[in-house]
Amino acid sequence: MVPPSEGGTDALLPDLPKGPLQAYRARASFCWQELVLFLEGEDMLRLKKAIFSALENDPLFAHSHGEDLSLEKYRELSFLRCKRVMEYSLLPVEEMVARPLSVQTLIACLGMYDWSLAVKFLLHMLTFGSAIYSSGSERHLKYLPKIFNMDIFGCFAVTELSHGSNAKAIRTTAHYDPTTEEFIIHSPDFEAAKFWVGNMGKTATHAVVFAQLYTPGGQCHGPHSFVVQIRNPKTLLPMPGVMVGDIGKKLGLNGVDNGFAMFHKVRIPRQDLLNRIGDVTPEGTYVTSFKDDRQRFGASLGTLSLGRVAIVGMAIVNLKLAVSIALRFSATRCQFGPSDGEEVRVLEYQTQQWRLLPYLAAAYALDHFSKSLFLDLAELQQGLMGTDQGARQAELGREIHALASAGKPLASWTAQRGIQECREACGGHGYLAVNRLGDLRNDNDPNCTYEGDNNILLQQTSSYLLSLLARHVQGGAHFQSPLRTVDFLQAYPDILGQRFTCPSVDSCLDSSVPLAAYEWLVCYLLRESYQKLNQEKRSGSNDFEARNNSQVYHCHPLALAFLELTVVRRFHEYTHQPHVPPPLRAVLGRLSALYALWSLSQHTALLYQGGYFSGEQAGKMIQNAILDLCSQLKDDAVALVDVIAPPDFVLDSPIGRADGELYKNLWTAVLLESRVLERPSWWSEFSVHKPRIGSLKSKL
């Protein structure tokens, strides 16, 4: 396809190098530059180019191929690189406020290079900085310049050694002393130590610490957040009363120093309580504008929603990188063929297409969802900053909480499975560390756990849906929400009466078909979950037991199906909107349909169990439609990768380079590894002192 010729875009999107991938690029049904411009926009592309150029041209960011960095050295590099990124001022504050997606773009670009750097930056700037900005008030603005200048370095301390997902039960305390107007931060025992806190291990000087707030008289007002200095910024030595350290090497993300802290009656000024949700007067009276304790607690954990939404984007970046590597490999790797002298590129095999192309479609669909959810969260945060506590704002908060709570599991699990499939699809070369798939797998893994265990988070989403149904059944309330993700449930009884009626495979090749099936599936699972809960209660179970006994085959799939439906609907609407350029409509429509059908196919048993499918033809149609779409997208796969892959320096995978010179690049990378042609360094000593068989026999 002919690239667009608008002025200024050539420098942003230069032609890719010629090579073995050119055959697939020539067969693409669309121009990859046109699709990039449509998806990203010129401003975002300029930001990406500025970030990538800064990294590639600075020696501090040079890759250390062939050198096994020690844990200490890797963490030193991560901190220095984070500091350098701050010095570049790639994204001014006013730009962050005006264009929220630019924040997500910056994190994604840094993560494509190295997730340890990106996470370290995110924890300091967004998690720590955003917590102070959004949970504090004017008296806390003094911290913001220090954060941007890295005069202080921050972390966010909720999790404790004995409490992770159950944040409400944390045991760190903050007792207010009116005689000195100070809070006394204290860890009652080692189980209450803050634990797993990123940046805390070696480098953080300050922490946003969650603790149970007590006022004089012993009344507990629940978890609140406080700014606590934990180290001297000039010496990095612990502050009096603070025991702080590093928890050690992890499975991945080892450039991030996760740490622990215990507090022994550490006194901080009253003003260091982040007081947007509640405050304490100098005399010791607790004041809050929230009438409901649960609503206040939810608002206090608002920063966690930001973290979960960020993780959705992080997981999708990992998936993008993995499919970029695997598909470029598959488009150049030749194995077997119809005759002895003719080998076929493995992307031509149906099995390889079926293994990889649904994950390519998932990367596009989930990326769109991630961006739209980030904008939804920005709207919520703007309302909170404007002290909007109206009914719509409260409902928006609940809806975003439900979407983020299921979005993180869906994105991180999809990336987890996708990266592993990509690793295996690249054969033995995928197992070679230099090709990066192992690092992607390990760095993605914590996305399934931190900011809330995935299985527990899904309960938040199912509880949200069940509460809506209960209000409808008991009081006739309408199903509606600010983002309209639940509005379809207003037709709940009618949807349950629908059945799959597609007459042919061709009629399934549009995402409107799986969209209708998903609506039925969510309604079915919602009804079944509601009935299961009530059945458990009628059998004598209390609320806790009833919920516990209703998760595995009811509430858990309900939450996932609802989120998958939301992703499918948003991507369907995006790809079918009128202003999609005509040359891009077909390929975007196929991506939308493939993701929707592939995701739906994982619920085939439920569709038959509930009666939406009947007879063997329904299941076969879905399977054949998936294979047809894979075949149709095969020739577009390399161009679709070109849209989402970063420059070679950032992708940093010999088998995934844009020129497609698979074996040349891999051979060069192996030879660059230090001392590959040398004998083992330990051999000389071994050869001198190696045991003799005769001497061993005499000893025996």
Side-chain angles (χ1 to χ4, degrees), residues 62-90:
H63 294 295
S64 53
H65 294 141
E67 180 184 352
D68 289 329
L69 294 176
S70 67
L71 191 64
E72 193 72 15
K73 183 63 177 176
Y74 190 13
R75 291 183 174 172
E76 176 191 352
L77 267 177
S78 296
F79 181 77
L80 293 176
R81 287 167 175 170
C82 183
K83 188 173 187 298
R84 185 65 55 84
V85 169
M86 297 290 291
E87 290 168 352
Y88 278 131
S89 297
L90 294 163

Side-chain angles (χ1 to χ4, degrees), residues 594-607:
L594 178 57
Y595 173 72
L597 289 165
W598 173 73
S599 294
L600 182 70
S601 70
Q602 297 168 59
H603 302 288
T604 300
L606 284 169
L607 294 166

Side-chain angles (χ1 to χ4, degrees), residues 15 41 46 137-138 233-234 245 394 400 594 657:
D15 290 333
R46 292 191 187 282
S137 59
E138 188 174 350
K234 297 189 182 299
I400 289 176
L594 178 57
R657 290 181 68 87

Side-chain angles (χ1 to χ4, degrees), residues 91-381:
L91 199 58
V93 179
E94 56 272 17
E95 183 76 2
M96 294 183 187
V97 176
R99 292 192 303 161
L101 281 182
S102 61
V103 177
Q104 191 184 48
T105 297
L106 175 59
I107 298 299
C109 290
L110 296 177
M112 287 181 180
Y113 168 76
D114 177 22
W115 275 117
S116 286
L117 166 62
V119 169
K120 200 161 187 64
F121 177 86
L122 183 149
L123 289 171
H124 171 65
M125 277 292 295
L126 293 187
T127 313
F128 175 71
S130 176
I132 291 176
Y133 180 70
S134 60
S135 300
S137 59
E138 188 174 350
R139 73 191 191 201
H140 301 105
L141 295 180
K142 64 182 181 181
Y143 287 109
L144 298 184
K146 297 177 182 179
I147 292 171
F148 279 94
N149 296 330
M150 280 186 69
D151 295 330
I152 63 175
F153 199 65
C155 61
F156 187 73
V158 179
T159 299
E160 297 177 352
L161 182 60
S162 62
H163 282 94
S165 298
N166 188 8
K168 198 170 185 179
I170 58 171
R171 297 176 58 243
T172 303
T173 59
H175 284 85
Y176 182 66
D177 180 356
T179 61
T180 60
E181 295 189 21
E182 293 173 318
F183 284 100
I184 304 168
I185 309 297
H186 186 65
S187 307
D189 53 51
F190 75 94
E191 291 187 6
K194 294 300 179 183
F195 207 80
W196 275 113
V197 181
N199 289 348
M200 181 176 271
K202 297 287 185 183
T203 50
T205 63
H206 290 68
V208 168
V209 175
F210 272 70
Q212 303 285 356
L213 190 157
Y214 287 85
T215 47
Q219 184 178 359
C220 179
H221 299 275
H224 286 65
S225 52
F226 304 80
V227 180
V228 182
Q229 184 174 346
I230 59 174
R231 286 187 178 94
N232 184 317
K234 297 189 182 299
T235 65
L236 282 188
L237 293 175
M239 298 299 290
V242 179
M243 182 173 75
V244 59
D246 195 296
I247 65 172
K249 190 172 183 179
K250 310 177 293 290
L251 297 180
L253 290 179
N254 279 302
V256 179
D257 49 313
N258 291 78
F260 67 88
M262 288 188 68
F263 304 97
H264 182 69
K265 299 180 180 178
V266 175
R267 288 180 172 268
I268 64 171
R270 179 183 68 87
Q271 290 82 359
D272 281 342
L273 163 66
L274 296 175
N275 61 334
R276 185 168 295 277
I277 65 161
D279 205 350
V280 174
T281 66
E283 298 75 25
T285 302
Y286 183 79
V287 291
T288 180
S289 58
F290 290 91
K291 297 178 181 178
D292 182 79
D293 287 344
R294 291 178 61 188
Q295 188 181 21
R296 189 188 72 223
F297 177 67
S300 74
L301 293 179
T303 306
L304 291 182
S305 284
L306 172 61
R308 289 164 189 162
V309 172
I311 290 170
V312 174
M314 291 162 63
I316 300 314
V317 168
N318 288 329
L319 183 60
K320 286 181 179 180
L321 296 175
V323 295
S324 296
I325 294 166
L327 281 166
R328 283 178 174 171
F329 172 88
S330 300
T332 50
R333 174 80 162 176
C334 297
Q335 296 288 289
F336 305 107
S339 62
D340 287 343
E342 181 184 354
E343 288 192 310
V344 174
R345 300 188 187 205
V346 295
L347 185 53
E348 296 298 320
Y349 289 104
Q350 186 183 73
T351 301
Q352 195 80 344
Q353 297 166 21
W354 171 77
R355 294 173 73 184
L356 296 178
L357 293 179
Y359 285 110
L360 176 65
Y364 273 83
L366 286 165
D367 185 55
H368 174 67
F369 169 75
S370 170
K371 291 173 180 174
S372 65
L373 184 60
F374 199 89
L375 290 175
D376 294 335
L377 182 64
E379 178 191 344
L380 175 67
Q381 295 285 9

Side-chain angles (χ1 to χ4, degrees), residues 544-559:
F544 179 82
E545 293 168 338
R547 289 184 180 279
N548 184 47
N549 295 335
S550 302
Q551 294 302 317
V552 178
Y553 294 114
H554 296 84
C555 297
H556 183 280
L558 166 63

Side-chain angles (χ1 to χ4, degrees), residues 305-625:
S305 284
L306 172 61
R308 289 164 189 162
V309 172
I311 290 170
V312 174
M314 291 162 63
I316 300 314
V317 168
N318 288 329
L319 183 60
K320 286 181 179 180
L321 296 175
V323 295
S324 296
I325 294 166
L327 281 166
R328 283 178 174 171
F329 172 88
S330 300
T332 50
R333 174 80 162 176
C334 297
Q335 296 288 289
F336 305 107
S339 62
D340 287 343
E342 181 184 354
E343 288 192 310
V344 174
R345 300 188 187 205
V346 295
L347 185 53
E348 296 298 320
Y349 289 104
Q350 186 183 73
T351 301
Q352 195 80 344
Q353 297 166 21
W354 171 77
R355 294 173 73 184
L356 296 178
L357 293 179
Y359 285 110
L360 176 65
Y364 273 83
L366 286 165
D367 185 55
H368 174 67
F369 169 75
S370 170
K371 291 173 180 174
S372 65
L373 184 60
F374 199 89
L375 290 175
D376 294 335
L377 182 64
E379 178 191 344
L380 175 67
Q381 295 285 9
Q382 287 169 2
L384 291 174
M385 294 305 296
T387 66
D388 182 356
Q389 294 177 13
R392 185 190 181 279
Q393 183 74 0
E395 282 301 313
L396 179 62
R398 293 183 69 221
E399 187 174 13
I400 289 176
H401 177 70
L403 293 174
S405 294
K408 187 182 91 74
L410 179 63
S412 58
W413 278 336
T414 302
Q416 182 189 56
R417 294 192 300 267
I419 294 166
Q420 181 63 25
E421 194 68 68
C422 289
R423 208 291 298 155
E424 294 180 28
C426 293
H429 294 320
Y431 194 64
L432 200 60
V434 73
N435 287 320
R436 203 183 171 188
L437 290 165
D439 285 340
L440 288 175
R441 183 175 58 190
N442 289 342
D443 285 350
N444 180 75
D445 215 33
N447 289 331
C448 302
T449 302
Y450 52 29
E451 302 289 348
D453 174 85
N454 281 355
N455 287 284
I456 294 174
L457 283 183
L458 289 172
Q459 297 181 35
Q460 301 289 314
T461 307
S462 60
S463 294
Y464 169 71
L465 295 170
L466 286 164
S467 70
L468 295 177
L469 180 58
R471 281 161 46 186
H472 177 76
V473 171
Q474 296 164 12
H478 288 286
F479 288 104
Q480 58 186 28
S481 61
L483 302 176
R484 304 187 63 185
T485 60
V486 301
D487 289 15
F488 74 97
L489 290 171
Q490 193 60 33
Y492 170 78
D494 294 334
I495 291 173
L496 283 172
Q498 295 174 3
R499 296 296 180 265
F500 182 77
T501 57
C502 275
S504 66
V505 172
D506 286 345
S507 62
C508 293
L509 300 181
D510 185 86
S511 44
S512 60
V513 172
L515 190 56
Y518 258 119
E519 288 189 348
W520 178 90
L521 180 63
V522 172
C523 290
Y524 170 72
L525 286 169
L526 182 57
R527 183 190 70 187
E528 294 296 298
S529 298
Y530 186 75
Q531 291 177 351
K532 172 66 172 173
L533 272 169
N534 287 331
Q535 175 193 331
E536 288 288 332
K537 291 175 182 177
R538 285 195 300 271
S539 300
S541 298
N542 58 35
D543 283 351
F544 179 82
E545 293 168 338
R547 289 184 180 279
N548 184 47
N549 295 335
S550 302
Q551 294 302 317
V552 178
Y553 294 114
H554 296 84
C555 297
H556 183 280
L558 166 63
L560 280 175
F562 168 70
L563 204 283
E564 288 166 4
L565 165 63
T566 305
V567 175
V568 167
R569 190 192 307 281
R570 289 192 177 191
F571 196 51
H572 172 83
E573 292 173 352
Y574 180 70
T575 57
H576 290 72
Q577 60 186 315
H579 70 268
V580 174
L584 304 179
R585 289 175 186 167
V587 68
L588 287 173
R590 290 180 189 125
L591 286 171
S592 177
L594 178 57
Y595 173 72
L597 289 165
W598 173 73
S599 294
L600 182 70
S601 70
Q602 297 168 59
H603 302 288
T604 300
L606 284 169
L607 294 166
Y608 274 110
Q609 176 182 303
Y612 187 76
F613 280 177
S614 60
E616 64 180 20
Q617 286 305 310
K620 286 183 176 180
M621 276 188 196
I622 299 299
Q623 292 173 350
N624 290 330

